[in-house]
Amino acid sequence: MFLTISTTGTPERPATDLGFLLHKHPDKAQAFSTSYGKAHVVYPEASVERCTAALLLEVDAVALVRRGKGKGRGGAPDAALAQYVNDRPYAASSLLAVALSGVFSSAMKGTCQAKPELPARPLPLRVEVPALPARGGADLVRALFEPLGWTVSAEPVALDTEFPEWGDSRYVSLVLEGEQRLADALRHLYVLLPVLDDAKHYWVSSDEVDKLLRAGEGWLPEHPEQKLITSRYLSRRWSLTRQAMERLELVRLAETDDSAVEEIDNAVDEQTDTEEKPVPLAVQRRDAIVAALKATDAAKVLDLGCGQGQLVQELLKDTRFTEIVGVDVSMRALTIASRRLKLDRMGERQSERVKLVQGSLAYTDKRLKGYDAAVLSEVIEHLDLPRLPALEYAVFGSARPRTVIVTTPNVEYNVRWETLPAGHVRHGDHRFEWTREEFRGWAGTVAERHGYGVEFVPVGPDDPEVGPPTQMAVFTVSAQNTKDQNTKEEKAA
């Protein structure tokens, strides 16, 4: 990854003052270690009339893959991309932004001990980034930088100059020119490079809000694209974005009123603030399932597709559930569930209440018969649609518990997830996600076919337009239907 910063000067104000501001001597080539490789600072030219500092980030592609495999705390999915061979190590991204803040930290803070007057002085700057990912194209590049006083040139980079018919890539060659303080210029780049890339190579946590506000001080509160910048910088995590937007609004109001932020933001006493944090949807879902089980007086419960045992753990807390069986096809998931439940250290009385077994829900299983209730929590959407009839018969036709509880995502609610791209399902392994009408149609058909009644319960905030995030169906079979089914089975035997 490559970036250059140039300026011009006069004998009275030599361009080589850039070296004092960056705290890097023009006569030296310096190297700095980073988490993902090595950053080099060199000066291709350094004279009174013109000075250029170049930052070359040499990315260790192996370290990049090892530290950031897919989504989550290790890194963002775009960061590693393919194993070792990809174009990303050669294009500006959050890796380069982090290198800027590390290598030029004093310059970003606006400090210069050798010449304290320099940081406050605007310089005629020219910044060049030969390969910059820009999700939104050249128009977005201009929309982000021009309001900050830059003259912007953003030329699309062809996919392959030998084959112009292939069109342009998502990269641009960026040139910024303008009279700017160096600290401001570096802070603009630190924020806007990952914003244009729309990806980060590391997990975005709450401390990123503070980083954004520090780097955006003096320009972000009034930027016309403030919302887009904030959302993308925080990887579209809506809770962090909302927090940042609220704090930016306080800054704007304080500047308008010529007051300190602390003077305006004094309505809440943190010592007595009792506002409750939002309850995660997974917790709301488990609470709804447990409440439904209690309402049916179920004592012997099957958790079908128990995964890592969260629901089993919750059921164990209530002694009315005398027998709890977790079933999953994955031995790895059952091993994790066993550790979560501490089965090897559990007392004898408690251990008699719980059992974990491996099994596939696509096949009938005599071990699943004779239970009061069965739970399929976020399971059916992981099956290919042609395999649903097999699961249906295994649970409703063969095992036939008195109550069956099924939860599944409501695809209509997906538009409320700010971090979920349009048209994407909530999890990479989901084979489908149903609307409320589709789920009710399937549940109604299953209930009619196997002699159950069915009721629907919203889980999570019930949006008036798109419904709840999770939809739950509670199937119950009457005593007469159970008796009739048992008679049929006895005759068949």
Side-chain angles (χ1 to χ4, degrees):
M1 301 180 185
F2 189 68
L3 174 148
T4 61
I5 302 173
S6 304
T7 188
T8 56
T10 64
E12 295 76 23
R13 293 184 175 180
T16 48
D17 280 349
L18 183 64
F20 288 101
L21 285 168
L22 293 174
H23 293 252
K24 305 293 181 287
H25 199 287
D27 292 338
K28 297 180 180 179
Q30 297 175 269
F32 307 86
S33 295
T34 73
S35 300
Y36 293 89
K38 188 168 288 188
H40 303 268
V41 178
V42 296
Y43 286 78
E45 55 182 340
S47 66
V48 171
E49 293 79 18
R50 184 174 176 83
C51 184
T52 298
L55 174 64
L56 171 65
L57 180 59
E58 187 179 12
V59 176
D60 182 344
V62 176
L64 184 66
V65 172
R66 286 176 178 169
R67 289 173 178 267
K69 289 188 177 181
K71 299 179 181 178
R73 294 187 179 275
D78 272 357
L81 277 183
Q83 297 278 319
Y84 310 120
V85 181
N86 59 79
D87 61 342
R88 294 286 300 223
Y90 314 104
S93 70
S94 60
L95 289 166
L96 185 59
V98 170
L100 275 173
S101 68
V103 175
F104 299 139
S105 59
S106 297
M108 282 187 66
K109 294 174 185 174
T111 60
C112 180
Q113 293 181 353
K115 294 188 176 184
E117 75 282 358
L118 284 182
R121 182 188 303 167
L123 301 176
L125 294 177
R126 178 184 174 91
V127 178
E128 296 184 55
V129 184
L132 172 66
R135 295 181 189 269
D139 290 340
L140 181 59
V141 177
R142 286 187 285 270
L144 295 183
F145 282 104
E146 285 181 349
L148 301 175
W150 293 102
T151 299
V152 180
S153 171
E155 296 296 328
V157 177
L159 280 172
D160 192 319
T161 55
E162 297 294 323
F163 301 94
E165 64 272 16
W166 289 1
D168 295 329
S169 68
R170 65 184 180 92
Y171 299 95
V172 299
S173 177
L174 175 67
V175 178
L176 303 174
E177 293 183 297
E179 291 272 340
Q180 299 276 355
R181 295 188 307 166
L182 182 63
D184 293 338
L186 291 174
R187 290 190 289 118
H188 296 164
L189 293 168
Y190 175 75
V191 172
L192 297 181
L193 289 184
V195 166
L196 283 165
D197 191 7
D198 200 14
K200 285 198 170 185
H201 68 277
Y202 58 89
W203 175 255
V204 174
S205 56
S206 57
D207 61 349
E208 291 296 300
V209 175
D210 294 326
K211 292 181 185 178
L212 173 62
L213 296 182
R214 283 196 301 269
E217 184 178 357
W219 62 271
L220 184 55
E222 300 296 335
H223 198 290
E225 298 293 340
Q226 177 200 103
K227 187 173 182 181
L228 180 143
I229 293 170
T230 303
S231 176
R232 283 195 177 192
Y233 184 86
L234 298 171
S235 295
R236 290 187 168 86
R237 293 191 61 191
W238 69 267
S239 58
L240 297 183
T241 301
R242 182 179 62 185
Q243 179 185 340
M245 293 294 290
E246 289 172 352
R247 290 173 62 180
L248 285 167
E249 180 62 13
L250 278 174
V251 171
R252 189 190 67 78
L253 292 173
E255 290 177 351
T256 302
D257 199 38
D258 198 21
S259 304
V261 172
E262 293 76 13
E263 295 177 16
I264 294 179
D265 190 22
N266 61 1
V268 177
D269 182 357
E270 294 184 358
Q271 299 298 323
T272 60
D273 183 18
T274 58
E275 181 180 356
E276 295 183 2
K277 294 181 179 179
V279 178
L281 181 58
V283 175
Q284 296 183 58
R285 188 161 49 235
R286 285 196 293 273
D287 289 347
I289 291 169
V290 172
L293 290 172
K294 290 178 180 179
T296 64
D297 293 325
K300 300 168 62 179
V301 179
L302 295 167
D303 182 6
L304 304 177
C306 65
Q308 299 178 16
Q310 292 94 330
L311 178 60
V312 173
Q313 186 178 43
E314 190 66 26
L315 295 175
L316 277 171
K317 296 176 183 177
D318 196 322
T319 56
R320 79 183 69 199
F321 301 114
T322 58
E323 186 177 346
I324 306 158
V325 177
V327 182
D328 205 283
V329 72
S330 168
M331 277 305 301
R332 182 171 180 270
L334 292 173
T335 300
I336 295 173
S338 178
R339 287 201 298 264
R340 175 189 294 275
L341 299 171
K342 299 182 176 63
L343 290 183
D344 56 337
R345 288 176 282 171
M346 191 176 285
E348 183 177 354
R349 180 176 298 180
Q350 188 80 329
S351 64
E352 290 176 351
R353 296 174 56 210
V354 62
K355 182 165 58 174
L356 300 178
V357 299
Q358 185 183 26
S360 171
L361 302 180
Y363 303 96
T364 59
D365 190 335
K366 293 180 180 179
R367 295 175 299 175
L368 306 185
K369 293 187 177 183
Y371 287 85
D372 300 324
V375 177
L376 291 158
S377 179
E378 309 301 287
V379 170
I380 60 173
E381 64 273 10
H382 291 272
L383 274 70
D384 293 318
L385 284 170
R387 301 188 69 185
L388 272 184
L391 174 143
E392 173 194 331
Y393 179 75
V395 176
F396 294 89
S398 176
R400 200 167 179 78
R402 188 174 71 243
T403 300
V404 180
I405 297 172
V406 180
T407 73
T408 192
N410 168 23
V411 71
E412 297 170 77
Y413 193 88
N414 287 0
V415 296
R416 298 294 188 253
W417 301 114
E418 295 185 11
T419 58
L420 186 64
H424 285 229
V425 293
R426 297 184 197 177
H427 189 280
D429 190 52
H430 285 186
R431 303 301 198 266
F432 62 88
E433 287 178 356
W434 276 334
T435 64
R436 288 169 290 174
E437 183 179 355
E438 289 170 328
F439 181 56
R440 286 171 180 263
W442 174 82
T445 301
V446 169
E448 183 178 359
R449 184 180 293 132
H450 297 283
Y452 282 79
V454 62
E455 295 182 356
F456 299 93
V457 181
V459 179
D462 196 356
D463 189 287
E465 295 181 359
V466 297
T470 295
Q471 41 193 342
M472 182 168 81
V474 181
F475 298 82
T476 53
V477 63
S478 68
Q480 182 60 44
N481 281 334
T482 303
K483 184 178 179 180
D484 292 344
Q485 182 69 18
N486 292 338
T487 301
K488 289 180 183 178
E489 292 177 358
E490 289 172 3
K491 290 181 178 179

